[in-house]
Amino acid sequence: MKSWRMAFNLSLRVLQAFVELADCRHFTRAAERSHLSQPAFSQLIRRLEEDAGVPLFTRTTRNVTLTVEGELFAERARRLIADMQSSIADLRDHATYRKGRVAMAALPSLSADLIPRAFAAFRRSYPTITLELFDRLSDGCLELVRRGRVDFALTAPGPRLHEFDSAPLRSEPFYFVCGARHPLARRRRIRLRDLWGLEMIHMARSSSVRQHLEPVIAKAGVLDSGIEIEQLATLAGLIASGLGVSLVPELTLFQFRRRELAVIPLEAPELTRPLLLVRRKGVALSRAAEAMLEVIVEMLPGAGRASARRTSAAQASG
Amino acid sequence: MKSWRMAFNLSLRVLQAFVELADCRHFTRAAERSHLSQPAFSQLIRRLEEDAGVPLFTRTTRNVTLTVEGELFAERARRLIADMQSSIADLRDHATYRKGRVAMAALPSLSADLIPRAFAAFRRSYPTITLELFDRLSDGCLELVRRGRVDFALTAPGPRLHEFDSAPLRSEPFYFVCGARHPLARRRRIRLRDLWGLEMIHMARSSSVRQHLEPVIAKAGVLDSGIEIEQLATLAGLIASGLGVSLVPELTLFQFRRRELAVIPLEAPELTRPLLLVRRKGVALSRAAEAMLEVIVEMLPGAGRASARRTSAAQASG
DNA sequence: GTCAATTACGTTCTCCGTAAGGATG
DNA sequence: CATCCTTACGGAGAACGTAATTGAC
């Protein structure tokens, strides 16, 4: 079905060969530099000239020079070669993690410790990739994903999650935190019913932890201290001062590892915070973002499962 | 002997296919638009991705989208395609005389009549080619050629002619010009000996005609009027007024075709002015310049000989 | 006579099309 | 089950290398 005249298929190789000959004006040498036999090289130039419709060189067996048209084309050919090579280099740089950008959003609890450590590890492996981080509450994370401002978000379930591709990364267990002198401070494990009647300090209602905790603790019969704070550090300080106790997810524990505090695993399988990887629907991650995700997953407590790392295209939408 | 890793040979066809798919995100349609079978198209994209080292599309059987790397490459690919096509178009335009430039130098005698007519004819055939003309005396013509300012010159032999490629275009016969009432005005032919004792008006000594004439007329025993003029029109006026007679080469006759003047062929085979085509040594003419030369040769009196039109590379240097 | 480009020719390999296979909605 | 991408395979043509030829100095 190639009924019509086949179009001129200019290629990088041909351009390079042409410029090589334009430079050294010697078929045999130019052929060597192009890693071709001299006749093959000769044929290549001939075909180029046929396609062009005009001789590009004048040759006697002793002398090879560019024609006027050849000179003009040589200028453009050099530009084209440079542009093509730069495009290829750019593509390869992205393929080999020498170029790229990862933008992500994450809950403040993750952004304070896990993500910084992940960034540090990532940068060691891929020092030239640009990194961006937005620490936002759940809604903010989702909004950034929706707008395409970030490649992905690490966040808790939120409203309108069905608009995204989301996959559970991990289910995070909760820990009970109290002052070191608290009656429960020496316990090895805590159950929900142990909390009955305790005065509890909560995170602000806007936080995903609080939203997740709310229905459960309502049934557990804990007393609400009335204090609502936004920063984990504040929470730690309040507990250290004996003003109450709290439940916090595992990834925030770095804030509570202080002598004045006791941190005890909560045995409540039904009370875990799902940590989601959220992305735009149907949009693949960049290579750099994939690599970042890999680093993060490796760094999560209880790593080793490969399931969350299969990020190709198949997801359970939330 | 292709021992090493074959380099990435990006070609226009591949880029076009890639952009086609990036645009319509549908293998079957993109394949059709690229005039390829769908599997062949698929393979082409796969090879491109292999060379790139990174997937450019994410495909489910139902959905094809660009990856981040694909988006980046698509931008550059569009630019590359445009640049390549423009380069090809430019080359083809030169090949088909839609673009180009002819710069030439010629003696004033030729520049007044022959060249303007040649330019007019040339422009009818190739209206978009830029034309440049320098009307200079012999030395000026050669200097312009030497500096590469013009493609070629039409001039008389001059000093240091060996520096150039020169080829005789034509040997121009001389004509005797006198007033209509001059005793010789009715003659059909004039011989050199007929000029004995006549008062003659010459062109300035700097003119090639004068230089060529000088040794011959010295022997012919003519009287020098003492007038030296630079413009042919002045010469014509002086002769018309009966102040003398002159010998002029054929291509200047357009200035002397007036009722008050008689123009008579001079029978003196030894007295002809060679008209040379002079070019830089070893530099081929542009396609446009070749075409111009062809037009000029056709227009020369006594055209039809193809000898002077073979301008390839072989010349007798002067 | 030597060096250098072209032509001739046989081989290899790329690239394409047809046909079968597999996944998705 | 219909659509659409991929894999498999066989053939046509492009491109390459070796060898012979032509041409310039």
Side-chain angles (χ1 to χ4, degrees):
Chain A
M1 268 301 176
K2 296 192 197 180
S3 55
W4 70 12
R5 171 94 187 105
M6 182 62 175
F8 195 164
N9 183 23
L10 205 51
S11 72
L12 181 55
R13 264 171 39 80
V14 170
L15 286 169
Q16 283 174 324
F18 166 73
V19 166
E20 206 69 68
L21 182 59
D23 283 342
C24 67
R25 300 199 298 281
H26 194 284
F27 276 75
T28 306
R29 263 195 293 282
E32 279 170 16
R33 295 189 196 171
S34 304
H35 309 285
L36 280 175
S37 73
Q38 190 275 326
F41 185 88
S42 209
Q43 195 188 25
L44 183 153
I45 296 292
R46 193 177 54 75
R47 269 197 306 274
L48 175 62
E49 290 179 315
E50 274 173 16
D51 285 341
V54 55
L56 300 172
F57 297 93
T58 53
R59 16 345 194 148
T60 68
T61 53
R62 286 302 191 187
N63 198 16
V64 176
T65 52
L66 282 163
T67 60
V68 174
E69 292 80 10
E71 293 275 15
L72 289 171
F73 189 60
E75 279 182 46
R76 310 204 62 159
R78 283 179 222 278
R79 272 203 97 92
L80 282 175
I81 290 172
D83 288 348
M84 291 173 93
Q85 285 181 334
S86 129
S87 296
I88 292 170
D90 197 51
L91 198 48
R92 289 245 169 99
D93 281 351
H94 279 87
T96 55
Y97 306 101
R98 281 192 293 262
K99 270 192 186 174
R101 168 185 156 276
V102 182
M104 60 175 292
L107 294 173
S109 55
L110 303 172
S111 301
D113 185 51
L114 175 73
I115 306 299
R117 285 186 291 117
F119 271 29
F122 185 87
R123 179 141 297 170
R124 276 192 291 280
S125 300
Y126 316 112
T128 53
I129 300 228
T130 305
L131 298 179
E132 291 184 78
L133 173 64
F134 297 84
D135 61 330
R136 297 294 148 85
L137 300 181
S138 175
D139 288 2
C141 286
L142 295 184
E143 182 57 24
L144 286 166
V145 173
R146 181 178 295 115
R147 299 214 313 262
R149 185 65 192 81
V150 296
D151 296 305
F152 61 86
L154 262 44
T155 185
R160 311 213 312 235
L161 203 54
H162 61 279
E163 295 177 12
F164 304 94
D165 272 346
S166 67
L169 262 189
R170 171 149 204 278
S171 260
E172 210 182 350
F174 275 83
Y175 284 73
F176 173 73
V177 183
C178 59
R181 297 162 185 268
H182 193 276
L184 295 174
R186 297 296 170 102
R187 297 278 286 271
R188 300 268 309 282
R189 298 173 308 195
I190 298 284
R191 291 192 184 79
L192 269 181
R193 63 167 172 274
D194 298 327
L195 304 179
W196 189 272
L198 289 182
E199 188 164 13
M200 210 157 206
I201 307 174
H202 295 306
M203 297 290 284
R205 290 184 197 279
S206 57
S207 84
S208 60
V209 172
R210 169 68 172 277
Q211 285 165 19
H212 197 70
L213 233 37
E214 196 75 44
V216 179
I217 57 182
K219 295 181 205 156
V222 302
L223 302 175
D224 191 333
S225 70
I227 301 175
E228 289 199 2
I229 54 93
E230 291 199 333
Q231 302 294 323
L232 289 167
T234 310
L235 182 58
L238 293 171
I239 299 171
S241 304
L243 294 175
V245 302
S246 192
L247 293 174
V248 300
E250 183 176 30
L251 286 171
T252 66
L253 288 185
F254 69 95
Q255 283 279 13
F256 302 95
R257 302 225 180 272
R258 295 158 56 170
R259 254 187 311 146
E260 316 93 287
L261 295 178
V263 173
I264 306 158
L266 181 71
E267 286 201 345
E270 76 278 18
L271 183 59
T272 57
R273 178 170 78 150
L275 187 58
L276 298 182
L277 166 64
V278 180
R279 306 162 21 185
R280 285 228 294 206
K281 236 176 185 147
V283 176
L285 290 183
S286 74
R287 231 172 142 78
E290 291 267 11
M292 171 59 79
L293 204 47
E294 190 137 344
V295 168
I296 290 172
V297 169
E298 289 293 337
M299 203 155 269
L300 281 174
R305 308 159 309 152
S307 62
R309 292 158 62 187
R310 289 290 108 228
T311 51
S312 330
Q315 274 84 23
S317 347
Chain B
M1 273 301 173
K2 298 190 196 179
S3 55
W4 71 10
R5 171 93 186 102
M6 182 64 176
F8 195 164
N9 183 23
L10 204 51
S11 72
L12 180 56
R13 265 172 39 79
V14 170
L15 285 170
Q16 284 175 323
F18 166 73
V19 166
E20 205 69 68
L21 181 58
D23 283 342
C24 68
R25 301 198 297 282
H26 195 284
F27 275 75
T28 307
R29 263 195 293 281
E32 279 170 16
R33 295 189 196 173
S34 304
H35 309 285
L36 280 175
S37 73
Q38 190 276 324
F41 185 88
S42 209
Q43 194 188 23
L44 183 153
I45 296 292
R46 192 177 55 74
R47 268 197 305 272
L48 175 62
E49 289 178 317
E50 274 172 17
D51 286 340
V54 55
L56 300 172
F57 297 93
T58 53
R59 12 351 189 148
T60 66
T61 53
R62 286 303 191 186
N63 198 16
V64 175
T65 53
L66 282 163
T67 60
V68 174
E69 292 80 9
E71 293 275 14
L72 289 172
F73 189 61
E75 279 182 47
R76 309 204 62 160
R78 284 180 222 277
R79 269 203 98 93
L80 282 175
I81 291 172
D83 288 348
M84 291 173 93
Q85 285 181 334
S86 129
S87 297
I88 294 170
D90 198 51
L91 198 48
R92 290 243 168 101
D93 281 350
H94 279 87
T96 54
Y97 306 102
R98 280 193 292 262
K99 270 193 187 174
R101 168 186 156 277
V102 182
M104 60 175 292
L107 293 173
S109 55
L110 302 173
S111 301
D113 185 50
L114 174 74
I115 306 299
R117 284 187 289 117
F119 272 28
F122 185 87
R123 179 142 294 170
R124 275 193 290 281
S125 300
Y126 316 113
T128 54
I129 300 226
T130 304
L131 298 178
E132 290 184 79
L133 172 65
F134 297 83
D135 60 330
R136 297 294 147 85
L137 300 182
S138 175
D139 288 2
C141 285
L142 294 184
E143 180 57 24
L144 287 166
V145 173
R146 181 178 295 114
R147 298 213 315 263
R149 185 63 191 84
V150 296
D151 296 303
F152 61 87
L154 261 44
T155 185
R160 311 213 311 236
L161 203 54
H162 61 278
E163 294 177 12
F164 305 93
D165 272 347
S166 67
L169 262 188
R170 172 148 203 277
S171 260
E172 209 181 352
F174 275 83
Y175 283 73
F176 173 72
V177 183
C178 59
R181 297 163 186 267
H182 193 276
L184 294 175
R186 296 296 171 102
R187 297 279 285 272
R188 299 270 307 280
R189 299 171 307 194
I190 298 282
R191 292 191 184 81
L192 270 180
R193 64 167 173 272
D194 297 327
L195 304 179
W196 191 272
L198 288 183
E199 189 165 12
M200 210 158 205
I201 306 174
H202 295 306
M203 297 290 285
R205 290 184 198 280
S206 57
S207 84
S208 61
V209 172
R210 169 67 173 276
Q211 285 165 19
H212 198 71
L213 232 39
E214 196 75 42
V216 180
I217 56 182
K219 297 180 204 156
V222 301
L223 301 176
D224 191 332
S225 71
I227 300 175
E228 288 198 4
I229 54 92
E230 291 199 334
Q231 301 295 324
L232 289 168
T234 310
L235 182 58
L238 293 170
I239 299 170
S241 304
L243 294 174
V245 301
S246 193
L247 292 175
V248 300
E250 182 177 31
L251 286 170
T252 65
L253 288 184
F254 69 97
Q255 283 278 13
F256 301 94
R257 304 224 178 274
R258 298 160 53 172
R259 254 186 312 148
E260 316 93 287
L261 296 178
V263 173
I264 306 159
L266 181 71
E267 286 201 345
E270 76 280 16
L271 183 59
T272 55
R273 178 170 78 152
L275 187 58
L276 298 182
L277 166 63
V278 180
R279 306 163 19 184
R280 286 227 293 205
K281 238 179 183 144
V283 176
L285 290 183
S286 74
R287 233 172 139 78
E290 291 267 11
M292 170 61 78
L293 204 47
E294 190 137 344
V295 169
I296 290 172
V297 169
E298 290 293 338
M299 203 156 270
L300 282 174
R305 305 159 310 153
S307 61
R309 292 157 62 185
R310 287 293 106 227
T311 50
S312 329
Q315 275 85 23
S317 348

